Amino acid sequence: MKKKVFILTSFLMIITSFTSCSEDPLDKVPLDSYTDATVWNDLKLAEAFANNLYTVLPSTQHNWNNRTNRSWILSTACDEAFNNFNDYDIWTLNSGALTPDNANDFDIWKPTYATIQNCNIFLSRIDKVPGDDASRNRLKGEVIFLRAYSYFKLISDYGGVPLITVPFDLNSNFKVDRSSYDQCVDFIVTELDKSAELLPLTATSLGKITKGAALAIKSRTLLYAASPQWNTSNDLNKWKKASDAAKAVMDLNLYQLYDKKYEDLFTTDNSEIICSRLSSKDPQWSAFNGVEMFNSPSGFHGWANFAPSQSHIDAYGTADGKDITDPTSGYNPQKPYVNRDPRFYKNIVYDGRAYGKPEFFKDRYDVGSSNKAEFYEGGLDSPQGWDTWNASKTRYTFRKYCDTTYNYNSETQTNKAWIISRLGEIYLNYAEAQFKLGNEGTAIQYLNAIRKRAGITIPLAGLTGTSLEKKIRNERQVELCLEGFRYYDVRRWKIAEDTENKPLMGVVITKNSDGSKTYTYTKVQERIFKPQHYLLPIPRDETNRTSLTQNPGYN
């Protein structure tokens, strides 16, 4: 049976924003708004309209709602991390109680379709805007990309969705067929190819979409489409498309793995980044969107809002690349933070790790402590320490994305970038697709490139079959943590019923009288995952207005 959906858009708001409704001759046109006709007669104003559509991309900003596109919260919606303050009502999802009525700000249906409506308006009018063809084509390429990215977000959450390519007006018939997942993938890929033809190889200004960005999202789209969630028959042609798409990004020869300080990869503009979105950090206590404030331990007056889980910590192997479960790895559970994968020290703040410059945290030294994190019971960063309401429940925080060269307690920064795509992801996409195509040697080659850059001392060799697949998945878990991938990876691999359907764990650390420490692993939050949770429910008010069939398990 054909499925229908009623799309609510921001059309009325758009009209209000761009038109003046008074006929009073004394009423002056506001200097901060423009008529619809004015916007589409001036290429600079059309570009401003296009720039506003970039808000569909995730950013480092955290506004406590879905305007941020869940960039941070996705980590706490899977086994990667715990959310300290139930942002987006995420504990509802964690508890297995998700319904079409209570997804709240974790749901992206309406805001994403509002962006699609605005993209459609732009694309329906840009060809008639006077100006030079090069600028007009670049803007078209950007907006075609942003619309395709919007649809990629939707299908990743809901499966097949209505494909709408023309703007609605007040006389439109709002019932639209729901396309299949594969139809949506074909549309997204075609649109990304179109945008790639129109976009420049290098950005006209920092943060602008490029050809590489379009090809990178194409790579991700086809990888997801080839995965077990959607490729139930393991059609190798889908894996070939995913492989070719990743290779196309690499063949641009524009990007290189960043081989300097690993932590700087996430705080600087560098050779590895293909696409990122900038956001300015507003003055402290204004918008509550500081990366460092959100992620730092409580004894450093941070909020520990996204706290790594014990299962994420256990995903890091040893310095020579062995799993900690390998009896030959030398891992010592009584010294769990010694001799680990170098990325562990770059991504995680753990008990005993130095954090930030000592001069930034004089108050810690004033009480006889230091800038080394104290997650042990009674320590400054523990639930018995400073700012106890902000204490990490897992006794870890993320170091990744934090710029420790400035004092976030008294200074502000601008142009914080959320990485949307980087070459490291493309290497991992390619490795996975090549593995599925039977080219295990090639898969290992690209895994080793990632691991060598990370500082792992011994390359992989001799892995095959399920052991190699496990390592590919582990590399994504470690390398791409806190970048919004894990939530979708465990779903597309169809392993979420194993990874998510168990308690999220943390550690309790007891400092003994002789100075040694005892580590006890404890439940932080009960987690329940049901089969329907592989997709989100379509909001109830949408299905109530239409004949749209709800996603399975949510009726």
Side-chain angles (χ1 to χ4, degrees):
M1 180 178 69
K2 290 255 184 173
K3 301 172 183 178
K4 303 283 186 179
V5 64
F6 184 91
I7 307 298
L8 288 180
T9 73
S10 57
F11 181 78
L12 292 177
M13 290 190 293
I14 296 164
I15 296 297
T16 302
S17 299
F18 285 96
T19 61
S20 174
C21 58
S22 172
E23 296 182 359
D24 186 340
L26 298 180
D27 186 28
K28 303 298 183 183
V29 175
L31 296 178
D32 61 349
S33 63
Y34 302 91
T35 67
D36 187 69
T38 301
V39 170
W40 305 113
N41 199 43
D42 186 317
L43 195 57
K44 290 295 184 184
L45 293 179
E47 182 165 14
F49 188 103
N51 288 343
N52 191 55
L53 302 176
Y54 273 73
T55 57
V56 77
L57 301 177
S59 78
T60 58
Q61 215 166 330
H62 190 81
N63 292 316
W64 310 95
N65 57 34
N66 60 10
R67 285 180 294 157
T68 56
N69 295 303
R70 306 175 308 181
S71 46
W72 300 106
I73 205 69
L74 284 170
S75 286
T76 67
C78 64
D79 65 342
E80 191 167 85
F82 173 75
N83 182 255
N84 219 5
F85 302 114
N86 195 24
D87 300 345
Y88 300 65
D89 296 312
I90 194 61
W91 295 352
T92 298
L93 183 149
N94 296 153
S95 70
L98 185 67
T99 73
D101 304 299
N102 63 12
N104 298 323
D105 283 331
F106 194 73
D107 175 78
I108 62 167
W109 185 276
K110 289 180 183 177
T112 307
Y113 268 113
T115 297
I116 290 169
Q117 163 72 356
N118 290 342
C119 289
N120 289 339
I121 290 172
F122 179 93
L123 294 171
S124 71
R125 304 188 185 188
I126 185 61
D127 286 338
K128 296 181 181 178
V129 178
D132 66 283
D133 289 340
S135 296
R136 192 165 44 240
N137 286 335
R138 172 180 58 81
L139 291 174
K140 283 177 63 176
E142 291 177 23
V143 175
I144 290 170
F145 170 90
L146 293 168
R147 185 174 65 179
Y149 186 87
S150 299
Y151 277 117
F152 169 73
K153 285 176 54 181
L154 287 169
I155 69 169
S156 298
D157 277 0
Y158 305 101
V161 298
L163 292 174
I164 301 164
T165 59
V166 296
F168 286 147
D169 59 33
L170 297 180
N171 297 314
S172 294
N173 178 357
F174 296 106
K175 288 188 175 182
V176 181
D177 290 341
R178 188 179 181 186
S179 298
S180 70
Y181 178 85
D182 284 342
Q183 287 171 330
C184 291
V185 167
D186 289 343
F187 172 79
I188 292 166
V189 168
T190 298
E191 292 294 288
L192 290 171
D193 283 339
K194 288 180 185 176
S195 69
E197 290 299 315
L198 295 169
L199 289 167
L201 282 172
T202 57
T204 55
S205 60
L206 196 60
K208 282 286 194 175
I209 299 300
T210 62
K211 179 175 184 174
L215 296 182
I217 299 303
K218 176 182 175 180
S219 167
R220 192 182 305 171
T221 301
L222 289 171
L223 182 79
Y224 287 16
S227 300
Q229 182 181 16
W230 299 109
N231 185 14
T232 56
S233 64
N234 195 32
D235 180 354
L236 293 183
N237 186 54
K238 291 187 175 183
W239 286 110
K240 178 66 164 55
K241 289 180 179 179
S243 175
D244 290 347
K247 187 68 161 52
V249 179
M250 295 187 289
D251 286 347
L252 291 175
N253 294 317
L254 291 175
Y255 313 105
Q256 296 83 38
L257 291 182
Y258 186 68
D259 59 0
K260 298 178 182 177
K261 293 175 67 175
Y262 184 78
E263 58 268 38
D264 291 348
L265 166 58
F266 307 98
T267 60
T268 64
D269 181 38
N270 59 74
S271 62
E272 184 164 338
I273 297 174
I274 299 171
C275 178
S276 65
R277 183 184 167 202
L278 301 177
S279 61
S280 295
K281 180 180 182 298
D282 291 339
Q284 190 184 1
W285 310 114
S286 157
F288 298 103
N289 65 352
V291 171
E292 291 75 21
M293 186 68 73
F294 263 95
N295 285 332
S296 297
S298 56
F300 296 81
H301 306 297
W303 299 344
N305 200 28
F306 311 103
S309 67
Q310 187 62 46
S311 66
H312 179 69
I313 300 303
D314 292 344
Y316 293 87
T318 51
D320 58 2
K322 295 180 179 179
D323 296 339
I324 64 171
T325 55
D326 186 333
T328 69
S329 69
Y331 172 72
N332 184 350
Q334 297 306 311
K335 295 181 180 180
Y337 311 136
V338 175
N339 193 40
R340 300 295 291 272
D341 181 328
R343 289 169 292 190
F344 172 73
Y345 305 106
K346 307 301 183 181
N347 290 344
I348 306 296
V349 182
Y350 55 90
D351 183 65
R353 187 201 193 283
Y355 184 67
K357 294 183 178 180
E359 58 265 31
F360 296 161
F361 306 107
K362 186 176 182 298
D363 55 350
R364 293 176 68 98
Y365 287 84
D366 288 344
V367 297
S369 187
S370 71
N371 69 328
K372 290 185 178 180
E374 299 177 357
F375 288 113
Y376 60 82
E377 297 299 276
L380 295 185
D381 305 290
S382 75
Q384 302 83 34
W386 289 356
D387 299 352
T388 57
W389 56 93
N390 289 328
S392 168
K393 304 300 187 296
T394 66
R395 276 65 163 188
Y396 305 100
T397 61
F398 278 109
R399 164 67 175 81
K400 192 172 186 176
Y401 269 112
C402 292
D403 182 349
T404 60
T405 66
Y406 86 108
N407 188 350
Y408 60 85
N409 280 292
S410 60
E411 303 173 64
T412 60
Q413 284 191 321
T414 59
N415 287 342
K416 303 288 286 187
W418 176 268
I419 298 174
I420 296 166
S421 180
R422 58 185 176 95
L423 189 61
E425 178 212 346
I426 301 301
Y427 274 24
L428 291 169
N429 292 355
Y430 189 62
E432 184 174 348
Q434 283 288 297
F435 166 77
K436 289 292 188 178
L437 290 170
N439 301 320
E440 294 183 340
T442 303
I444 290 173
Q445 175 189 343
Y446 281 86
L447 288 185
N448 279 334
I450 291 288
R451 289 159 65 86
K452 181 180 179 181
R453 184 272 298 277
I456 292 176
T457 56
I458 299 177
L460 291 171
L463 284 182
T464 188
T466 56
S467 296
L468 179 53
E469 182 174 47
K470 180 181 176 182
K471 185 58 67 176
I472 290 169
R473 292 177 176 183
N474 174 255
E475 277 300 308
R476 288 185 71 92
Q477 186 177 6
V478 170
E479 177 69 23
L480 301 177
C481 75
L482 203 61
E483 296 181 53
F485 288 95
R486 180 69 175 172
Y487 174 87
Y488 294 108
D489 279 349
V490 297
R491 283 161 173 76
R492 68 182 178 86
W493 291 330
K494 293 288 285 186
I495 64 171
E497 285 168 88
D498 296 324
T499 63
E500 312 303 296
N501 206 20
K502 58 186 178 182
L504 183 130
M505 304 293 286
V507 63
V508 173
I509 306 169
T510 304
K511 191 173 184 178
N512 303 315
S513 58
D514 62 358
S516 65
K517 294 175 181 176
T518 302
Y519 302 85
T520 304
Y521 300 98
T522 186
K523 179 174 70 176
V524 173
Q525 185 180 53
E526 192 67 51
R527 294 280 180 96
I528 297 174
F529 184 93
K530 300 174 182 176
Q532 61 263 38
H533 296 158
Y534 280 102
L535 295 174
L536 291 184
I538 295 170
R540 180 84 65 188
D541 56 357
E542 291 290 337
T543 58
N544 281 348
R545 283 190 291 266
T546 70
S547 58
L548 177 65
T549 301
Q550 182 58 266
N551 278 330
Y554 288 111
N555 294 322

